[in-house]
Amino acid sequence: MDSMYSPPGVGQDASQFVPNSQQQQHSSDGLYPPPLPPRRPSSITYDEEKRIIPVDATDRYGPPPTRRRSNDGADVVGQAYIRDPHKLVAYLVPLPKPNYHKGMLHATGGAELPTRFLIYTPPPPPLQAPAEGEKEEKIHKLQRKWQEEVRTAKQSDAKVASWKGLKGRATKGIDWAMGKTTTSNLDFVNRIPGMSNSKDKHADDGVTEGETTKKTVGLNEMILIHPTSLPGSEEKINVSVRAKAVFPQRTEFINNMMRTKTKAQKDSMIATGLLPVAGAIDVLATIVWPFGGLLEIDGVWAANSIRGAKTARSVTKRLNSTGTTGNAEEDMLRLTFTPSQRIEVLQRYLEAKCHDRDPKYFKSPGLAPTETEVLAAIGWNPSSTGETRNWEDEQWEWQEVKEDLRATMLKGANEWTSWVKSFEKNPEKALKK
């Protein structure tokens, strides 16, 4: 039957199978669709994994970008965060200038607000239990057990009315209060590894060993990332000690260490004097509140302040090559200043925190980046890799670093806002702090 319709074969034109009467009728009344245009053949190629990739797309856009992990040793030093026991990567985040257009700082007598930075470095990974047969130090064990207790409390879904729920609330409250006892500068100083200065010859490692044991190599370089907008290139800042009087990065870093040391010394005396009082209150309140907390909070405050004062003093001495070994090259701590655009995301995040703290003093930077975007910008990744990688531990480490970033930037915003207000009232007195 000529009127029956059959589908076109492969490589044949569909218009051949449309009756001539229908084709003619299409031109007159448009009841039938026009014939399909010829299909242009597209060239394709196969990659090593036998995936079909259009040649046009690869030629026009290039291969997709790949992201390298920050701890695989392949990143360029100074351009991404790395974990190295001999090098510390930190970020000099400029503190925002107040909004002069709203009549602020009218009592300063024309004094210029100095350029200061918030120095940030991510916290170290969670402590791990030692392998079988290895001896664990008491301090290391206490810190590890406390980290595990805090993790259990934060991940618990127990009811508040239960004993487990009350204990979890108490643990989270104590952990929050411990974080409030330190400043943003002290948090950075206490994250500098291998800088404790004690009579022990092996105190650089934080490990007490015998007299016959050889001293291990501690921290010997700090890589300080700063914005590209600041004056001076990497070579000019690092080439000579005379750069102290020229570039604000180096000058402010040293002044920051001196201010941190002075404040930590005062706080250590106050916290040490309050230890008996805190212990007595915890004992008297046992019947009403059996979880304690005051003694632990005050003890952490005293320990962090004492350690911070020692570390800041050790840093300043090693910057001036006045160590105790008599070897200038071994004692010197090298500062490497590296300009990078990665710091711009951190800077906008800090500006947003300052604006939230006091909108009258600080302008809004617009849409603020998230904690995930900030960590991605600096190249941070969880410490677990390869066979040791665990999804739950990875998620927990992400959560802790995000909370630390948020808390540190909020501390810096509060401290900077208070300092700007004191500078407005008395510039000479504020510059000494």
Side-chain angles (χ1 to χ4, degrees):
M1 298 175 64
D2 297 338
S3 60
M4 295 182 64
Y5 173 79
S6 61
V10 179
Q12 295 179 344
D13 192 358
S15 61
Q16 298 177 0
F17 295 86
V18 181
N20 295 332
S21 59
Q22 293 181 0
Q23 295 183 14
Q24 295 174 359
Q25 188 176 3
H26 162 72
S27 60
S28 60
D29 53 12
L31 295 178
Y32 291 92
L36 297 175
R39 183 175 298 176
R40 185 180 62 179
S42 61
S43 57
I44 58 175
T45 182
Y46 293 84
D47 65 355
E48 298 177 356
E49 299 180 0
K50 304 300 182 182
R51 294 175 300 178
I52 300 177
I53 302 177
V55 174
D56 296 340
T58 56
D59 293 342
R60 185 181 304 173
Y61 303 105
T66 57
R67 181 179 178 183
R68 295 177 299 184
R69 299 186 66 88
S70 62
N71 51 1
D72 59 0
D75 289 305
V76 180
V77 176
Q79 294 300 317
Y81 178 75
I82 59 174
R83 295 183 179 91
D84 192 328
H86 311 312
K87 297 178 182 179
L88 177 68
V89 178
Y91 301 88
L92 300 179
V93 188
L95 292 163
K97 299 290 185 178
N99 185 10
Y100 295 100
H101 299 286
K102 294 185 178 181
M104 300 300 171
L105 306 176
H106 57 276
T108 59
E112 184 179 357
L113 198 72
T115 300
R116 292 194 174 183
F117 303 92
L118 185 148
I119 310 176
Y120 179 75
T121 186
L127 300 178
Q128 301 295 331
E132 284 189 39
E134 294 185 3
K135 187 177 180 180
E136 186 177 14
E137 291 186 1
K138 293 183 178 180
I139 297 179
H140 185 278
K141 185 176 182 179
L142 288 175
Q143 293 177 345
R144 179 175 62 83
K145 290 294 184 181
W146 175 251
Q147 289 181 358
E148 294 175 356
E149 190 172 348
V150 171
R151 178 175 179 176
T152 303
K154 289 184 177 181
Q155 295 179 343
S156 175
D157 56 353
K159 296 181 179 180
V160 181
S162 63
W163 174 263
K164 188 177 181 180
L166 287 175
K167 184 179 179 181
R169 288 294 183 93
T171 301
K172 290 187 289 186
I174 294 172
D175 181 68
W176 175 83
M178 287 178 178
K180 293 296 182 180
T181 59
T182 58
T183 62
S184 59
N185 293 329
L186 187 60
D187 288 338
F188 164 73
V189 169
N190 283 332
R191 292 173 185 176
I192 301 177
M195 296 297 295
S196 57
N197 185 18
S198 63
K199 295 182 180 180
D200 183 16
K201 293 184 178 181
H202 312 289
D204 289 344
D205 317 317
V207 179
T208 305
E209 300 175 349
E211 294 291 335
T212 58
T213 306
K214 293 183 180 181
K215 180 181 177 180
T216 58
V217 180
L219 184 71
N220 51 31
E221 182 181 5
M222 283 190 186
I223 303 174
L224 302 176
I225 315 297
H226 62 86
T228 56
S229 58
L230 293 178
S233 61
E234 182 177 357
E235 294 77 9
K236 290 182 179 180
I237 299 177
N238 300 323
V239 70
S240 175
V241 180
R242 290 178 299 176
K244 297 179 182 179
V246 179
F247 301 103
Q249 297 93 307
R250 186 183 183 95
T251 305
E252 175 56 26
F253 178 80
I254 297 175
N255 293 339
N256 187 290
M257 291 294 103
M258 300 298 294
R259 293 192 299 266
T260 303
K261 180 188 71 172
T262 302
K263 183 171 179 19
Q265 289 174 343
K266 294 180 180 179
D267 290 347
S268 63
M269 292 187 291
I270 297 174
T272 304
L274 292 176
L275 284 174
V277 179
I281 294 176
D282 278 347
V283 172
L284 295 176
T286 303
I287 301 176
V288 181
W289 184 255
F291 305 106
L294 286 181
L295 184 61
E296 290 85 350
I297 295 171
D298 190 58
V300 170
W301 183 20
N304 286 334
S305 300
I306 294 173
R307 181 188 174 191
K310 290 183 177 181
T311 302
R313 181 169 62 249
S314 179
V315 168
T316 53
K317 284 185 176 181
R318 290 188 61 185
L319 290 176
N320 297 323
S321 301
T322 58
T324 58
T325 63
N327 189 345
E329 294 183 358
E330 182 180 353
D331 291 332
M332 177 176 287
L333 178 63
R334 185 173 59 178
L335 295 181
T336 302
F337 292 86
T338 304
S340 176
Q341 295 181 353
R342 295 175 181 269
I343 205 72
E344 295 178 359
V345 183
L346 266 170
Q347 187 174 355
R348 287 194 291 114
Y349 187 88
L350 179 59
E351 290 174 356
K353 292 297 180 183
C354 291
H355 174 74
D356 295 339
R357 177 63 176 81
D358 199 327
K360 295 182 180 180
Y361 275 79
F362 303 101
K363 295 180 180 180
S364 173
L367 183 62
T370 63
E371 290 81 12
T372 304
E373 293 173 346
V374 173
L375 296 178
I378 65 177
W380 183 90
N381 280 296
S383 58
S384 58
T385 57
E387 297 179 356
T388 61
R389 187 172 183 179
N390 183 281
W391 185 85
E392 293 182 356
D393 295 341
E394 239 181 60
Q395 295 302 313
W396 170 251
E397 195 170 351
W398 269 106
Q399 178 182 343
E400 285 296 287
V401 176
K402 287 180 182 179
E403 291 183 3
D404 174 82
L405 175 65
R406 190 183 306 112
T408 303
M409 294 298 172
L410 186 59
K411 282 183 185 179
N414 293 334
E415 295 163 3
W416 180 240
T417 302
S418 301
W419 189 89
V420 168
K421 292 180 179 180
S422 64
F423 181 83
E424 182 184 6
K425 297 178 182 179
N426 193 337
E428 295 182 358
K429 183 179 180 180
L431 289 175
K432 299 178 181 179
K433 298 182 180 179

